[in-house]
Amino acid sequence: MADRTAKGVTRGEIETGAETGAVRDSTEDWKSKPPYRTTPANEHFDKKWTAHCHCGRIKYWLSRDKPLATKFCHCVDCQSLHGAPFQWAAIFEKEDLHFEKGAEGLAFYHSPDKSTVHRLPCKVSCAYCHSPIMDEGRNMVLMFPGIIKFSDAEHKKLFDPQCHIFYSQRVVDIHDGKPKWSRLDGQSELMKEVDRTGSKEHTVLGEARNENMED
């Protein structure tokens, strides 16, 4: 029977070293499944896009021509964890992704209980330079296109976001004409774009702004 920690996390849920990214006490087979598998089957992986972290220790490839969807997320968690006003995320299936060294050198963070375990959903980063790599869900991954090596501007346009989500939590107004949802897209209110010159309001961190489309 697997050991269980005080927080109820089994050893099989994999603690990771923050400094080395080493995986300890693994009793699970998640490393043998996409996107971490390093089996001979990956020799035929169709490499459409290449990306690597800031230090270059983590490298991965994508086999799909373009994301299933791409969004800007303005939620306060993304602001905090990325140290930026919003996150640029592209959605792919796990089978679309292949890490050069599998799970080696990766660090995992399960934000619901603030633990460094590979426990879905989790955030994945380079254990050395701490570059954010992706958010891993149960079926999909949200990749961060900022580390993809685009050959030209036309290729980068394939990753152009379709909308903004959690825009009510924004710290900066974006004037791009894209749909802006107060929370999740299709499941919350659409918000109107604040006029570039007419508004004298300033966005304050943590202050929700709900300018509905109907107002």
Side-chain angles (χ1 to χ4, degrees), residues 138-189:
R138 290 173 176 79
N139 300 305
M140 302 287 183
V141 292
L142 277 69
M143 310 302 304
F144 307 134
I147 62 174
I148 295 176
K149 304 308 170 186
F150 296 108
S151 58
D152 54 49
E154 289 300 315
H155 286 161
K156 194 173 184 178
K157 285 182 179 178
L158 295 173
F159 288 73
D160 190 36
Q162 292 90 35
C163 67
H164 297 258
I165 59 175
F166 290 92
Y167 197 66
S168 61
Q169 300 176 22
R170 71 194 183 281
V171 295
V172 61
D173 294 324
I174 306 295
H175 305 276
D176 59 5
K178 298 180 186 297
K180 295 171 174 64
W181 299 89
S182 62
R183 295 183 67 82
L184 291 174
D185 50 315
Q187 303 178 37
S188 60
E189 298 173 329

Side-chain angles (χ1 to χ4, degrees), residues 183-197:
R183 295 183 67 82
L184 291 174
D185 50 315
Q187 303 178 37
S188 60
E189 298 173 329
L190 273 172
M191 301 176 64
K192 67 181 181 181
E193 227 175 67
V194 176
D195 185 76
R196 188 184 297 268
T197 58

Side-chain angles (χ1 to χ4, degrees), residues 52-193:
H52 62 72
C53 65
H54 188 269
C55 70
R57 285 173 169 80
I58 302 300
K59 184 177 182 180
Y60 73 80
W61 298 277
L62 291 165
S63 63
R64 188 181 293 269
D65 288 324
K66 61 180 182 180
L68 298 170
T70 311
K71 308 171 185 181
F72 285 138
C73 180
H74 297 258
C75 77
V76 292
D77 282 346
C78 286
Q79 294 170 23
S80 174
L81 291 166
H82 288 257
F86 53 89
Q87 173 206 83
W88 178 22
I91 301 174
F92 286 87
E93 294 182 0
K94 292 187 178 184
E95 289 77 9
D96 299 330
L97 173 65
H98 170 51
F99 282 98
E100 181 181 39
K101 299 178 181 178
E104 180 183 342
L106 293 173
F108 304 94
Y109 179 65
H110 183 62
S111 59
D113 62 9
K114 298 179 175 60
S115 58
T116 53
V117 298
H118 181 266
R119 189 181 189 187
L120 302 180
C122 68
K123 294 186 174 292
V124 184
S125 61
C126 171
Y128 188 84
C129 69
H130 305 293
S131 296
I133 304 295
M134 67 178 182
D135 288 351
E136 182 186 2
R138 290 173 176 79
N139 300 305
M140 302 287 183
V141 292
L142 277 69
M143 310 302 304
F144 307 134
I147 62 174
I148 295 176
K149 304 308 170 186
F150 296 108
S151 58
D152 54 49
E154 289 300 315
H155 286 161
K156 194 173 184 178
K157 285 182 179 178
L158 295 173
F159 288 73
D160 190 36
Q162 292 90 35
C163 67
H164 297 258
I165 59 175
F166 290 92
Y167 197 66
S168 61
Q169 300 176 22
R170 71 194 183 281
V171 295
V172 61
D173 294 324
I174 306 295
H175 305 276
D176 59 5
K178 298 180 186 297
K180 295 171 174 64
W181 299 89
S182 62
R183 295 183 67 82
L184 291 174
D185 50 315
Q187 303 178 37
S188 60
E189 298 173 329
L190 273 172
M191 301 176 64
K192 67 181 181 181
E193 227 175 67

